[in-house]
Amino acid sequence: MTDEPNPVSSENPTVEALIENIDHPKPDLSSLEVDREDYVIETIHLHKRYGKLHAVNDLNLRVPRGSVFGFVGPNGAGKTSTMRILTTLMLPSSGEAKVSGFSVLTQPREVRRSIGYMPDFFGVYDDMKVWEYLDFFAACYEIPESERPGLINDLLELVDLKHRRDDMVDKLSRGMKQRLCLARTLAHDPEVLILDEPASGLDPRARIEIRSLLVELAKMGKTIFFSSHILADVAEICTDIGIIEAGQMVAQGPIDEMRRQLLPHRQIVITLLGRVDEAKEKLMQVKGVQEILDLKDEAGRKRIQVNFNGEDAGISELLTALTSSGIPVTNFAEQTQDLEAVFMRATKGIVT
Amino acid sequence: MRNPVRLLLGNPVVLKELRGRMRGPRAFIVLTGFLALVGGFAILLYLGMNAASRTNTGQVDGGEIGRTLFAGVIGIELFLVTFIAPAFTAGTISGERERQTYDLLRTTLLPESQLVMGKLFSALAYVFLLLLAAIPMQSLSFILGGTDLPDLFISFVILMTTAIFLGTVGIYFSARIKRTLPASISTYGVALGIVIGTILLFFILTVVTAPLLDRSGNVQASRTTEWIILIGRGALICLNPITTLWVSIDALVEQQSLWAFEYTFQGGSQGATSTVTLPSPWLVFTVLYLVISALFFMFTTRRIRQIDEQ
């Protein structure tokens, strides 16, 4: 057992984590209306083979309408292949994939109309201005010429690039390019956004900006399906996750449910002024306590970790057991277990 | 059905490509370089011809100089178009892949035919501009005589047809081959094939059929053999823009006919001469290459429409 399971709250947090904690409160996803009975993306026994390599192996993916779905997996797990099939850029070897109810095999045009796709790289037309870039793609999505100026202004405002309207695209920073690319995906008001590593290679601030934008878009009713290596991003903005390994879906569902399923016990860290043995004895009597571990002292104070399996009422009982006995408690907090723990538990480290 | 001109001008790829091509100094530099080369060559040719005419006869044959100047200017234009048209098109689709914008385009609602047409039209529009800008240079020969408007018309049609054909070949290879360099090499291979390869084949045919010719070059064989040789020679002439232009203008000067010319069978072993009317080579060349271009356009569109198997 590690002493500090959550890297964000460790004694030596990364600069990145610090900036995120200082600048950016966790976005509120409670207003999102996720319809778990209606799947906007669905794959049925999907396979993709490259010669002997089985990149996607009987994948059954289901993305609920209105969700922010994080698609995670190790390198070579089949994330990009799945996304390329969903965006009609590649044919599956067998199986079916549907987006907004349209088959990628037989209705690719309808699929394209309903998706906004952002690949994991930014395709640059270095000889275009920002507004020209959006105008070109809006025209490619058959937006009438008369509607485009207003649309471009709205999109630039949304991604906070209005002030760079007349700049050449190649003069933008990577984060700005990524935001512009996101604006491009919205030109035709698609139902679903399919984003491959949207925060890849961005600095912490740009990552936060992209994450905030994604949450805003989700609040506007878009379903967001994105892949990421950065589990912190997934944990922060996703309502649902799917974990893929060796081309197979190893786990998928609402993020809280996944945490509960894959990490059966909750961790409560308690800081005491003394009487540790007595506290342990009292706590062990509460129903649901599995084990109690000693942690390193912090500023001369004793700390213990209680691994607990139960509901919130049980956690309240833990605190009551200590305070009713007069044991001095200075801190009592449940540790949020990060998605990395869920990920490590779900995957086996298999790479195709 | 939508107006094709409106469809073309409303094509987002046309607007994007033309905007990109005409932005900055590049378009101006290429146009200036093109005209400087054509102009420089015309001046050298004029000075050379003028000097040669004076030396040989003591008099200047304006018509001869005019015709040579015209042929020389068209020749250099043809040479430049052969290099420029593939350069403008062989990287159009592969360049999208290399810039990583191909996937972005493929997931939009832009039809494949509009993508290909937009790329082709914008490249050819610039070639058209170059040829149009060089017309005053060709027209210099009118001052000296020896050429007329039909010559100008034929030469312009042949140049544009060559540009369209090499343009579609360039786009085809660009869609077929993922990288620009091999796509360019393949396109230049085809360009060399039609410009030099057909001439080599013509010489080979001449050598092979030499035993059947008399001292004047007339065929001394059966009517069937003469037909076969005529078709073989005609095909090779009509495949090559230079020989097409040469023979078409020759027919125009000799027979005063823009659209057709008369060929006289020498009779050979039968001993009786007869005449057939054949379409002028520029007409065959234009129809043939425009049909092939349309096929290449179709193949390119089909290639882009295919969703990648891998």
Side-chain angles (χ1 to χ4, degrees):
Chain A
M1 175 63 65
T2 55
D3 189 38
E4 291 291 347
N6 188 345
V8 176
S9 62
S10 68
E11 287 177 4
N12 296 306
T14 59
V15 174
E16 200 169 294
L18 270 176
I19 292 171
E20 286 181 30
N21 286 342
I22 294 165
D23 274 12
H24 194 68
K26 191 175 165 72
D28 177 22
L29 303 176
S30 58
S31 61
L32 297 186
E33 291 177 13
V34 182
D35 182 354
R36 302 203 183 279
E37 301 298 312
D38 181 13
Y39 300 120
V40 78
I41 294 176
E42 191 174 12
T43 69
I44 304 142
H45 301 298
L46 194 71
H47 289 264
K48 180 67 196 175
R49 295 181 196 86
Y50 303 102
K52 287 179 182 172
L53 178 72
H54 213 145
V56 178
N57 186 4
D58 200 27
L59 188 80
N60 292 293
L61 168 74
R62 291 180 298 276
V63 178
R65 186 176 297 279
S67 64
V68 181
F69 192 103
F71 193 41
V72 296
N75 284 331
K79 297 189 296 293
T80 299
S81 292
T82 306
M83 286 192 150
R84 288 182 68 79
I85 291 170
L86 292 173
T87 50
T88 73
L89 289 168
M90 194 164 72
L91 286 172
S93 304
S94 63
E96 176 63 288
K98 288 184 176 177
V99 180
S100 300
F102 300 112
S103 164
V104 297
L105 295 169
T106 56
Q107 298 162 293
R109 196 170 163 79
E110 285 76 7
V111 170
R112 287 172 191 177
R113 200 183 286 280
S114 64
I115 61 164
Y117 172 55
M118 185 161 92
D120 60 345
F121 44 78
F122 181 79
V124 183
Y125 289 117
D126 51 9
D127 52 1
M128 285 182 116
K129 291 181 178 176
V130 167
W131 75 267
E132 289 172 350
Y133 182 81
L134 290 178
D135 184 71
F136 170 62
F137 279 102
C140 289
Y141 279 114
E142 300 176 348
I143 310 288
E145 198 175 347
S146 57
E147 292 176 20
R148 280 184 239 147
L151 174 72
I152 291 167
N153 280 341
D154 291 347
L155 290 173
L156 289 175
E157 195 155 17
L158 181 71
V159 297
D160 196 21
L161 284 175
K162 209 169 180 181
H163 60 296
R164 304 298 296 264
R165 188 180 185 279
D166 292 312
D167 288 351
M168 299 302 282
V169 170
D170 64 339
K171 296 281 183 281
L172 300 183
S173 69
R174 194 180 162 95
M176 286 177 176
K177 282 179 182 173
Q178 205 74 336
R179 289 193 334 247
L180 178 63
C181 206
L182 197 57
R184 174 190 60 74
T185 65
L186 298 165
H188 57 303
D189 193 19
E191 207 176 343
V192 192
L193 297 183
I194 299 180
L195 317 171
D196 197 357
E197 303 279 355
S200 165
L202 298 182
D203 62 47
R205 183 168 292 278
R207 265 177 56 200
I208 291 165
E209 286 166 354
I210 281 283
R211 281 198 320 234
S212 305
L213 258 174
L214 294 183
V215 171
E216 279 309 307
L217 293 171
K219 286 177 181 170
M220 287 161 66
K222 310 277 179 211
T223 301
I224 296 170
F225 176 70
F226 77 100
S227 69
S228 182
H229 278 113
I230 306 163
L231 294 174
D233 287 349
V234 178
E236 188 164 308
I237 64 166
C238 284
T239 57
D240 293 67
I241 62 164
I243 300 176
I244 183 174
E245 186 176 38
Q248 290 181 311
M249 211 57 167
V250 291
Q252 65 180 318
I255 198 158
D256 295 334
E257 199 175 293
M258 295 273 289
R259 274 202 183 102
R260 276 201 296 275
Q261 277 177 11
L262 292 165
L263 299 169
H265 62 251
R266 302 163 80 171
Q267 295 175 347
I268 298 102
V269 172
I270 305 168
T271 309
L272 303 161
L273 285 177
R275 298 165 64 187
V276 177
D277 292 337
E278 193 186 341
K280 282 183 182 174
E281 199 180 306
K282 294 282 178 196
L283 290 170
M284 281 306 286
Q285 290 167 10
V286 178
K287 192 183 168 193
V289 174
Q290 293 179 321
E291 62 178 340
I292 300 174
L293 305 168
D294 288 312
L295 300 180
K296 250 187 209 170
D297 290 357
E298 195 177 74
R301 290 168 180 163
K302 303 286 180 194
R303 294 193 313 142
I304 55 172
Q305 178 183 305
V306 180
N307 289 346
F308 176 76
N309 192 3
E311 298 301 319
D312 289 348
I315 293 179
S316 173
E317 275 180 43
L318 292 175
L319 187 59
T320 309
L322 296 173
T323 51
S324 63
S325 307
I327 297 169
V329 177
T330 60
N331 196 10
F332 183 97
E334 183 179 1
Q335 299 296 293
T336 307
Q337 297 197 63
D338 60 31
L339 199 58
E340 278 170 18
V342 177
F343 182 77
M344 291 306 286
R345 186 136 180 145
T347 60
K348 299 177 185 125
I350 305 165
V351 176
T352 53
Chain B
M1 193 172 156
R2 289 178 70 184
N3 182 347
V5 177
R6 224 170 168 178
L7 201 66
L8 199 61
L9 294 178
N11 184 330
V13 180
V14 171
L15 185 64
K16 174 190 127 5
E17 293 286 316
L18 286 180
R19 210 180 247 156
R21 201 177 293 286
M22 299 311 287
R23 178 171 280 151
R26 194 178 49 190
F28 171 76
I29 291 168
V30 171
L31 182 60
T32 309
F34 179 82
L35 290 177
L37 273 171
V38 175
F41 184 75
I43 290 167
L44 284 176
L45 205 62
Y46 175 77
L47 293 175
M49 281 297 292
N50 209 9
S53 299
R54 282 183 194 286
T55 312
N56 291 342
T57 63
Q59 280 188 323
V60 178
D61 180 355
E64 181 64 26
I65 295 176
R67 273 193 297 278
T68 311
L69 191 63
F70 182 77
V73 169
I74 297 295
I76 189 85
E77 278 184 355
L78 200 58
F79 176 78
L80 292 173
V81 163
T82 308
F83 276 90
I84 288 171
F88 280 178
T89 54
T92 49
I93 308 290
S94 53
E96 294 283 352
R97 290 182 201 272
E98 286 164 350
R99 277 196 302 267
Q100 300 184 311
T101 46
Y102 185 72
D103 285 352
L104 305 184
L105 282 179
R106 297 292 297 117
T107 51
T108 67
L109 301 175
L110 185 75
E112 300 78 13
S113 56
Q114 276 208 51
L115 171 63
V116 180
M117 184 50 90
K119 293 280 184 185
L120 183 66
F121 179 78
S122 54
L124 291 179
Y126 190 70
V127 174
F128 184 75
L129 173 71
L130 295 181
L131 295 180
L132 214 60
I135 281 185
M137 222 75 85
Q138 293 171 22
S139 307
L140 281 176
S141 57
F142 292 141
I143 301 167
L144 300 159
T147 53
D148 214 338
L149 272 178
D151 302 297
L152 194 67
F153 170 72
I154 292 175
S155 65
F156 197 78
V157 169
I158 290 175
L159 283 168
M160 269 319 284
T161 306
T162 308
I164 290 169
F165 170 69
L166 291 177
T168 49
V169 170
I171 287 192
Y172 171 75
F173 281 119
S174 191
R176 189 88 218 164
I177 303 169
K178 290 187 177 172
R179 288 184 303 121
T180 299
L181 185 63
S184 300
I185 292 169
S186 305
T187 313
Y188 281 119
V190 173
L192 283 176
I194 69 154
V195 176
I196 295 174
T198 47
I199 290 179
L200 284 176
L201 284 175
F202 189 85
F203 279 120
I204 291 169
L205 183 72
T206 307
V207 170
V208 169
T209 56
L212 302 172
L213 307 179
D214 64 15
R215 287 189 176 188
S216 329
N218 297 323
V219 180
Q220 293 299 313
S222 68
R223 181 60 53 90
T224 315
T225 314
E226 196 171 354
W227 261 114
I228 293 168
I229 293 171
L230 177 69
I231 290 170
R233 280 179 170 182
L236 289 172
I237 285 169
C238 294
L239 282 172
N240 186 303
I242 300 167
T243 51
T244 298
L245 185 66
W246 182 15
V247 176
S248 301
I249 288 181
D250 203 40
L252 187 65
V253 172
E254 300 273 324
Q255 301 185 15
Q256 303 299 309
S257 170
L258 180 64
W259 306 99
F261 73 100
E262 289 186 340
Y263 177 82
T264 306
F265 282 101
Q266 297 305 310
S269 49
Q270 279 87 20
T273 61
S274 62
T275 303
V276 286
T277 304
L278 297 168
S280 189
W282 74 267
L283 210 54
V284 181
F285 175 90
T286 306
V287 172
L288 180 73
Y289 276 110
L290 288 183
V291 168
I292 299 173
S293 300
L295 288 174
F296 270 112
F297 183 88
M298 210 172 71
F299 294 148
T300 309
T301 307
R302 193 177 291 176
R303 176 70 192 89
I304 292 176
R305 190 174 294 135
Q306 278 174 0
I307 299 175
D308 285 351
E309 294 290 336
Q310 282 209 352

